[in-house]
Amino acid sequence: MESKSSGSLLDQSFSASDIEMEVLKQQLAMADDEDKAALEAERRMLQLALLEAFAQQRQLVVAANIAVLALSGCLGFASCRCSSEKIPVRYGPAYITQCPIQNGHSYTYDFNVTGQRGTLWWHAHIFWLRATVYGAIVVMPKQGTPFPFPQPDRETNIVLGEWWNNDVEEVVKQGNKLGLPPNTSDAHTINGKPGPLFPCSEKHTFAMEVEQGKTYLLRIINAALNDELFFAVAGHNMTVVEIDAVYTKPFTTQAILIAPGQTTNVLVQANQAPGRYFMAARPFMDAPLTVDNKTATAILQYKGIPNTILPILPKLPLPNDTAFALSYNAKLRSLNSPLYPANVPLKVDRRLFYTIGLGINPCPTCLNGTRLSASLNNITFVMPHIGLLQAHYFNIRGVYTADFPDRPPQPFNYTGAPLTANLGTTSGTRLSKIAFNSTAELVLQDTNLQIVESHPFHLHGYNFFVVGTGIGNFDPAKDPAKFNLVDPPERNTVGEPTGGWTAIRSLVHALPFGAAYRVGFEDCICGREWKGTRSVHFASSKGPSSLLIDFFLRPKYKGHG
C-alpha cells in the first residue's frame, strides 16, 4: 500500500535492525553538509521506529531514550503509559505538563520503571501523529522471578493499528474546515500490515511461525486511534493472563475485546493440526455510527508448512455484539494473590460524577455553520498556550481557573431519548483541585446528546480499579452496593460502555495525574481541534512542588451528522 502520509518513513524502517542504524551512522560520518540533514532525519525516524524497549524490572532502569523528530509542526511528548509514581513530571499531553517538542528538535527522556512489569506502549501526543508514531514497551519481571502462569516458550508483540491512505494531518484539517468528523481510516493493521484481505502483495502480511506443542505469549496492543477491536486466532483458544501490565485471573476465550490504548497478554498453545491460521482484528461498534469495518489479518504458521496452504479465518464476534463485549469485560479480574495483591481503595475522599457529551456550537467558517464540541459536565476544554504545570509552578495568572464542577450543572435522564436541541457547551480552561494522597472515585456517565456511544478512557501515569459498570443511568443509591472491591480489574485504560457508566477508584499519590477520552484527536491538538476535546484537570493542594495533576478526557469522535 503506497502512502502519502508522513508515516511512510516509519513503514520503510518497520523491519529495520541495529545494522541499518550502524550503516546510517557511517553514512552520516562520510556525508557532506547537503546530505547530512536528510540522513539525520532518517536516523531519528529509524531510532523512533526501533523503540521497542525490553526493560528488566529493578531499582534503576532506563526504559526509554526517546529522541524524536516531528513529522510536521510540533510533536507532543511520546508517552510511555508507565506508572508515574517514580517518573518525573515531564510526562503527558503537550501544554499540560510542558510545551510540545518543536519541529526539528529532539527530546531525550530517561526514567526509572519501578514496581511494574508487563506490556505497555509509547505514542505521540499531539494531533493525529499517533496514527503512525507508536511502539511497544515490554518490562520483564525481575531476574529469577517467574510469571504467575505457565512459562511460554516464546513471546511475540502484536500491535493493532489504523491506516489512512492520505496524510492523517490533512484528514483532520479537512474535518475541521467542514465542522464534521474526520474521515474514518482506510484499513486496520497488525504490526503495521493490513493483510491479504486488502489489495496488497504478500509482503504486506505479518506472519508468525510456531512449532507444534509449544506455548506462545502474545503481547497485544491496540494502537488504533478510534476503534475498539475484536481479535482472534483461527482454531486456537487464548488464555488472558494480563491487562495493561497487571496480572489477571486467567480465563480462556476464543476472542478478546481491546479498546484503544489497552494492552492484553494471552497464551496460545500450538496444539492444532499443522497448517496456516489467520489472526484477525476488526472493530466493535454497537451504536449506529460510521466506522471502518474492515478486517486486518496476519498469519500464524506452523513450522514446515508451505506458504501455498490457504489460511483458515477465525470466527470473530459480530461487529455490534454487545453481549460478548459485556460478558468478556465481566471476566476480567485482578490476580489478587499474595505476591500481586489488588490494593483496592475502600475509603473514598472525593466522589466525582462526569457526564460525557457531544454538543454543537456555532462555527461561522464551517460548512454547516456549526461544529461538534465534546464536553464533560457540558464544559469543553480550551487548550492554553503555556503548559498548565508551568503556569502553576511559576504562578502565572490567567492561564486556568480551578472551578471545574464535581457534577453536571443540570441533572437529566442521561441515557433516555436522544437530545437534539440546545446542545451548546460552555468553554474554559478549568481545573479541579484534589488533595494529595487522597482517594478519588470517578463515575463516567455516557449521555444521549445526539446519540449514545462507547468511550475509551485513559488515565495518564496512573492505574485505577474498575469497581463497577452498567447500562443506563448510574444510581448512586443502589449501584455502589454492587461494586467489586475484592478483585476488580486494575488498568490504565477502560472502555466505558455505550449508553452506560463506569466507576473507577484511584489513589492520588504521584506525579502526574492525567486522563484521556478519545475523540479521535489524540492527546494534544492545537487550534480548532481542541474543540473536539473534553477535559478537566486536577491540581493537588499538597505534595511535591504543589503537584499539578492533569485529567484529560475525550470521547471517540465518530461519524455524527
Side-chain angles (χ1 to χ4, degrees):
M1 295 172 63
E2 297 273 339
S3 171
K4 303 175 186 176
S5 76
S6 46
S8 58
L9 275 175
L10 285 176
D11 297 308
Q12 292 168 16
S13 61
F14 185 83
S15 60
S17 66
D18 291 335
I19 296 175
E20 290 177 273
M21 182 66 79
E22 187 60 35
V23 169
L24 272 175
K25 288 180 181 178
Q26 293 175 10
Q27 289 176 332
L28 270 170
M30 297 184 293
D32 55 31
D33 292 339
E34 187 174 345
D35 293 332
K36 276 187 176 179
L39 285 170
E40 178 63 19
E42 185 176 350
R43 184 192 70 82
R44 292 193 183 192
M45 291 305 298
L46 177 57
Q47 183 180 34
L48 184 65
L50 286 171
L51 180 58
E52 191 169 276
F54 284 78
Q56 192 80 39
Q57 181 197 335
R58 52 183 181 261
Q59 189 60 35
L60 179 63
V61 177
V62 178
N65 286 310
I66 303 173
V68 296
L69 179 70
L71 306 182
S72 64
C74 54
L75 181 67
F77 181 71
S79 162
C80 76
R81 294 188 175 235
C82 298
S83 171
S84 66
E85 184 173 357
K86 303 284 179 68
I87 293 179
V89 296
R90 291 189 177 276
Y91 171 91
Y95 296 115
I96 305 305
T97 55
Q98 67 193 87
C99 291
I101 306 167
Q102 297 301 308
N103 189 25
H105 292 73
S106 66
Y107 186 92
T108 301
Y109 186 36
D110 295 345
F111 58 92
N112 299 337
V113 175
T114 308
Q116 273 191 297
R117 93 298 306 154
T119 306
L120 298 162
W121 67 298
W122 61 271
H123 56 85
H125 248 307
I126 197 162
F127 299 112
W128 271 23
L129 295 187
R130 190 172 72 75
T132 54
V133 184
Y134 57 75
I137 295 177
V138 175
V139 184
M140 300 300 292
K142 288 182 181 179
Q143 191 168 5
T145 302
F147 292 122
F149 48 79
Q151 184 74 21
D153 295 291
R154 292 183 183 177
E155 303 180 15
T156 299
N157 294 342
I158 302 293
V159 184
L160 312 177
E162 285 184 272
W163 176 272
W164 281 260
N165 289 332
N166 296 317
D167 186 328
V168 290
E169 292 184 71
E170 292 303 318
V171 172
V172 174
K173 289 177 183 177
Q174 180 67 18
N176 292 344
K177 290 178 182 178
L178 299 176
L180 298 173
N183 291 336
T184 59
S185 56
D186 296 293
H188 292 96
T189 59
I190 299 177
N191 286 353
K193 302 180 179 184
L197 299 186
F198 290 83
C200 305
S201 64
E202 180 68 21
K203 69 177 182 179
H204 291 294
T205 301
F206 171 75
M208 169 186 170
E209 186 180 81
V210 299
E211 294 184 42
Q212 180 75 33
K214 291 190 175 182
T215 299
Y216 296 81
L217 180 67
L218 304 187
R219 298 178 179 271
I220 305 167
I221 299 166
N222 185 354
L225 277 176
N226 298 323
D227 293 334
E228 294 177 85
L229 296 170
F230 293 121
F231 176 86
V233 182
H236 295 72
N237 288 331
M238 296 177 288
T239 301
V240 177
V241 294
E242 178 195 302
I243 54 173
D244 293 356
V246 178
Y247 294 135
T248 64
K249 288 182 170 65
F251 68 92
T252 300
T253 181
Q254 291 184 335
I256 68 167
L257 175 63
I258 183 167
Q262 290 182 339
T263 72
T264 302
N265 285 7
V266 301
L267 293 174
V268 176
Q269 290 184 311
N271 57 7
Q272 299 300 302
R276 302 176 81 214
Y277 298 84
F278 272 128
M279 298 180 280
R282 77 175 176 205
F284 163 61
M285 172 52 66
D286 57 352
L289 300 173
T290 302
V291 65
D292 174 10
N293 60 5
K294 304 178 190 72
T295 301
T297 53
I299 297 174
L300 184 145
Q301 183 164 333
Y302 280 72
K303 187 174 182 178
I305 298 300
N307 292 344
T308 53
I309 302 298
L310 291 177
I312 302 169
L313 274 168
K315 186 177 180 181
L316 289 165
L318 293 175
N320 61 349
D321 196 339
T322 304
F324 177 90
L326 295 175
S327 173
Y328 174 82
N329 286 323
K331 295 175 184 176
L332 297 173
R333 292 284 187 271
S334 292
L335 186 58
N336 195 24
S337 68
L339 282 178
Y340 307 103
N343 298 315
V344 187
L346 301 180
K347 175 178 172 291
V348 176
D349 301 304
R350 183 81 170 270
R351 285 186 167 83
L352 309 168
F353 182 81
Y354 292 161
T355 56
I356 307 164
L358 194 63
I360 300 177
N361 286 329
C363 176
T365 60
C366 295
L367 179 67
N368 297 326
T370 60
R371 173 178 291 154
L372 295 173
S373 299
S375 69
L376 287 174
N377 287 349
N378 206 45
I379 299 170
T380 297
F381 186 74
V382 176
M383 182 50 53
H385 297 291
I386 185 171
L388 294 178
L389 183 62
Q390 293 170 293
H392 171 76
Y393 185 83
F394 293 107
N395 197 27
I396 302 173
R397 300 185 180 277
V399 178
Y400 63 83
T401 59
D403 59 351
F404 192 93
D406 287 0
R407 291 167 184 78
Q410 182 63 51
F412 60 98
N413 183 4
Y414 306 115
T415 56
L419 301 178
T420 56
N422 302 318
L423 297 179
T425 69
T426 59
S427 300
T429 310
R430 302 172 67 174
L431 280 67
S432 179
K433 288 185 177 180
I434 285 188
F436 183 78
N437 243 4
S438 64
T439 297
E441 179 182 286
L442 171 61
V443 175
L444 301 156
Q445 175 69 63
D446 188 23
T447 61
N448 206 354
L449 299 181
Q450 303 184 69
I451 194 170
V452 292
E453 60 171 315
S454 62
H455 304 278
F457 165 88
H458 171 62
L459 196 58
H460 280 108
Y462 266 73
N463 279 7
F464 51 80
F465 290 96
V466 185
V467 296
T469 188
I471 301 300
N473 296 338
F474 175 73
D475 187 336
K478 297 179 180 179
D479 287 326
K482 306 172 190 174
F483 284 176
N484 178 3
L485 302 179
V486 177
D487 60 352
E490 179 184 353
R491 56 191 327 162
N492 60 47
T493 304
V494 66
E496 187 261 355
T498 298
W501 56 270
T502 295
I504 66 171
R505 288 187 183 182
S506 187
L507 177 64
V508 182
H509 65 286
L511 296 171
F513 181 30
Y517 253 111
R518 302 210 188 357
V519 167
F521 301 141
E522 259 316 298
D523 291 332
C524 301
I525 304 151
C526 303
R528 205 295 292 172
E529 292 114 296
W530 287 110
K531 297 301 182 182
T533 301
R534 43 178 93 159
S535 292
V536 60
H537 299 268
F538 293 98
S540 172
S541 57
K542 296 181 181 179
S545 303
S546 298
L547 165 68
L548 180 72
I549 300 169
D550 73 278
F551 206 2
F552 200 80
L553 302 105
R554 287 175 304 284
K556 293 187 299 182
Y557 197 161
K558 293 289 187 180
H560 300 273

